[in-house]
Amino acid sequence: MGVIKETLSLLGLTVLFDFFKGIIERVKYIFIPPKAFSWQTLIYLSLFSWLMSSLADQGSAIRDIIAFFGWMFLIAGTSWYTTDKPLYIPGTVMPIGAVITGGIVSIFAFQQDFDETGIVRTVIFWPTISAIITAIPEFFEGSGTDVKRQLPKLEDRQSIIVLIGCCILLSCWLNLSIVVDDWFKQYPSAQYPIDQEKFPRTNDLLTTLEPENKTPQNGVLVLNKLQSAVETSLEGRNWSEVERWLKRARQNRNANGLGQKIINIHLAGFEEKELWEVKTDVDNIDPKDINSYRLDLFVVWKGPSASKNRYYLKNSCQLEPIAESIDIIGSQPERITVAEIECLPASRISYIAGKLPQRLIDN
Amino acid sequence: MLEYDLFDSLRVFPSGIILFDFLFILVATPIEAVILNQRLKFDKRTSAFYAISMNVFSNAIGWMIFFALEPTVFFGGYKLEVINYLLYNRLSNQVRGGIVLAAFITFFATLMVKFALLRILIISLSEPGEKKPQPSEENSGTVARRSLRDKRTLQSTSLFTTTLIANSLSYSAITLIVLFRWFALGNV
């Protein structure tokens, strides 16, 4: 050290030396425990337990026990450090230390399932746990080894009760935001159509980020799957068979039950699947030519939507008979009529806000 | 392990609901504090404490009841109406009667909860060795002559009446706010 100091002072950089010395002193102060029984010891113990538990066998009871002690040391060490010099959140009786300890306790409590629900729970219970941690020391007197139980003073009791109440309410609000967010995950199509000019939003109760897609993804999904299902069941089939299919579809208007099947399969993860409906419309393209058909596929949203008359998605297909010859071994080639189907590409799906054409609405 | 996108998760945030809830507490608390102060002769700080705690805790209990009801089939039947209202401020005519009924039930449930809370809070502020604070000091002249049991019922009735008055007034104020919002948004 001495040499470095001399060198730096020759260079006229004593300030730099002092600066780094200050940092080293501070780091030393933080990391080296002043006596055996101090918060640094607890943090080191927790680090040690963590290391040990990571060395222990996966899934063994020992590992869990060591990890548990690690958590306990960490919680105790943090709360000790933070109660050493309490720094309060402005305007409240809540020390910041309690918030940090509360966070660690909350993570510890919900670490078992550290997936989406686990994280959500951790955040939700954080304020409440922090408030309880703030309240606990008020019921004890003294420090270190001799601890006496006591009832806090009247004013302290009042502020603790108010603090706990406010923190529980905060937890409730956090949970509310999760619950509401979950509703809109189950009903993503309710926010469409997005058109601020035609359908201005007047909601003051929710702050919504505009959905990324301009078209309701679930509707597009159903329409595309329906289109390919119709194509696979009609393409290349015998024309008379196809005509029978179309005749039935003209009557039941639901693609012979294909639509319901597709909705049940592809929207199984959404509560909003009850609100989508598939409709079909079969017509001759040219009234004179009875041999070519137009098949319109509609996917209709029946739930809440920005436009009062809701919305629907539409795609059209054309069906025409074509002659094809099949070689049959040992005899003459046979000529049969099969169907050719051609639908509009996915990019040309129409997305219409408003009611379905009257003829398609069930009575 | 951490495949959780918080930004993706919170695309919808009920900021308005939370702000209105906060506003309701902010309006109800001073009204109830004044009533407690005048009728039960608590000092100003204590009545403010009772009013804040009663409102905050009853609010939290209300939310918890809501969270308990939310996954049930009963609420499931109204979910679409709620979504429609939250997003587009639309209410169908079928649920209007239900809303009045729900408001009615909420009022009396809140009254009960607040009364229970007030009693618990009074106990929580009393010293173990000490006599209970006497909320019905206005009647102390007559109370002295009655038996202990009578006194207790009298205290209780006085507490209950006060809670009823406080709750009614704060609910009236909240109703005014709700009506104001209703007219301001122009969906009459």
Side-chain angles (χ1 to χ4, degrees), chain B residues 104-178:
Chain B
F104 200 70
I105 294 169
T106 315
F107 176 80
F108 285 103
T110 321
L111 179 65
M112 290 302 157
V113 168
K114 278 186 179 169
F115 178 58
L117 279 171
L118 187 58
R119 304 206 71 169
I120 294 168
L121 288 167
I122 288 174
I123 293 167
S124 79
L125 284 196
S126 63
E127 299 296 331
E130 213 176 87
K131 253 178 80 182
K132 269 191 188 174
Q134 300 242 337
S136 55
E137 271 163 25
E138 53 190 326
N139 300 317
S140 55
T142 44
V143 165
R145 269 173 267 125
R146 289 166 191 256
S147 68
L148 194 70
R149 206 175 134 215
D150 272 355
K151 201 169 95 186
R152 235 179 242 149
T153 47
L154 188 70
Q155 264 191 19
S156 188
T157 12
S158 170
L159 266 187
F160 189 78
T161 329
T162 310
T163 322
L164 180 64
I165 294 170
N167 199 32
S168 312
L169 283 178
S170 59
Y171 261 75
S172 312
I174 289 170
T175 314
L176 277 179
I177 297 174
V178 171

Side-chain angles (χ1 to χ4, degrees), chain A residues 114-116 119-120 151-155 157-159 161-162 164-166 168-169 171-181 183-187 190-193 201-212 271 275 303-308, chain B residues 1-4 6-18 20-22 25 45-46 49 52-53 55-57 59-61 63-64 66-67 70 75-76 79-90 121 123-128 181 185:
Chain A
F114 215 63
D115 53 354
E116 197 173 314
I119 293 170
V120 164
L151 205 60
K153 283 195 293 265
L154 201 68
E155 294 197 350
R157 251 183 281 167
Q158 289 179 348
S159 42
I161 290 173
V162 170
I164 291 178
C166 291
I168 291 175
L169 190 59
S171 289
C172 286
W173 285 344
L174 285 173
N175 195 28
L176 176 77
S177 63
I178 300 294
V179 166
V180 169
D181 188 63
W183 291 347
F184 289 98
K185 276 207 196 107
Q186 292 296 332
Y187 295 92
Q191 294 188 53
Y192 291 87
R201 301 215 182 169
T202 51
N203 59 4
D204 54 346
L205 295 176
L206 300 176
T207 313
T208 48
L209 278 175
E210 205 161 89
E212 284 152 3
E271 279 176 36
L275 299 173
S305 86
S307 74
K308 275 209 168 123
Chain B
M1 195 163 89
L2 285 170
E3 308 155 340
Y4 187 59
L6 202 71
F7 183 72
D8 182 54
S9 165
L10 287 176
R11 298 195 69 83
V12 177
F13 187 74
S15 53
I17 302 176
I18 292 173
F20 266 104
D21 196 20
F22 185 61
I25 294 176
R45 193 193 149 93
T46 318
F49 161 73
I52 294 171
S53 314
N55 274 294
V56 167
F57 277 102
N59 213 302
I61 289 170
W63 281 121
M64 284 173 202
F66 170 73
F67 297 139
E70 193 265 329
F75 183 79
K79 210 183 216 172
L80 280 176
E81 295 287 348
V82 174
I83 288 176
N84 210 351
Y85 183 72
L86 289 182
L87 274 179
Y88 308 114
N89 258 312
R90 288 188 211 125
L121 288 167
I123 293 167
S124 79
L125 284 196
S126 63
E127 299 296 331
R181 174 177 176 270
L185 289 175

Side-chain angles (χ1 to χ4, degrees), chain A residues 201-254:
Chain A
R201 301 215 182 169
T202 51
N203 59 4
D204 54 346
L205 295 176
L206 300 176
T207 313
T208 48
L209 278 175
E210 205 161 89
E212 284 152 3
N213 304 296
K214 282 278 167 198
T215 45
Q217 286 306 290
N218 280 345
V220 173
L221 177 77
V222 170
L223 189 55
N224 287 340
K225 295 287 174 190
L226 178 70
Q227 181 204 325
S228 53
V230 167
E231 277 172 351
T232 38
S233 56
L234 296 185
E235 178 75 52
R237 288 295 176 87
N238 203 325
W239 182 246
S240 59
E241 216 176 293
V242 169
E243 273 192 316
R244 243 178 288 135
W245 193 95
L246 289 174
K247 204 173 178 188
R248 272 202 296 143
R250 184 177 270 176
Q251 266 157 22
N252 58 33
R253 294 200 181 284
N254 62 8

Side-chain angles (χ1 to χ4, degrees), chain A residues 340-354:
Chain A
E340 190 191 53
I341 179 164
E342 199 175 331
C343 299
L344 291 174
S347 56
R348 291 190 53 201
I349 289 174
S350 12
Y351 167 40
I352 300 149

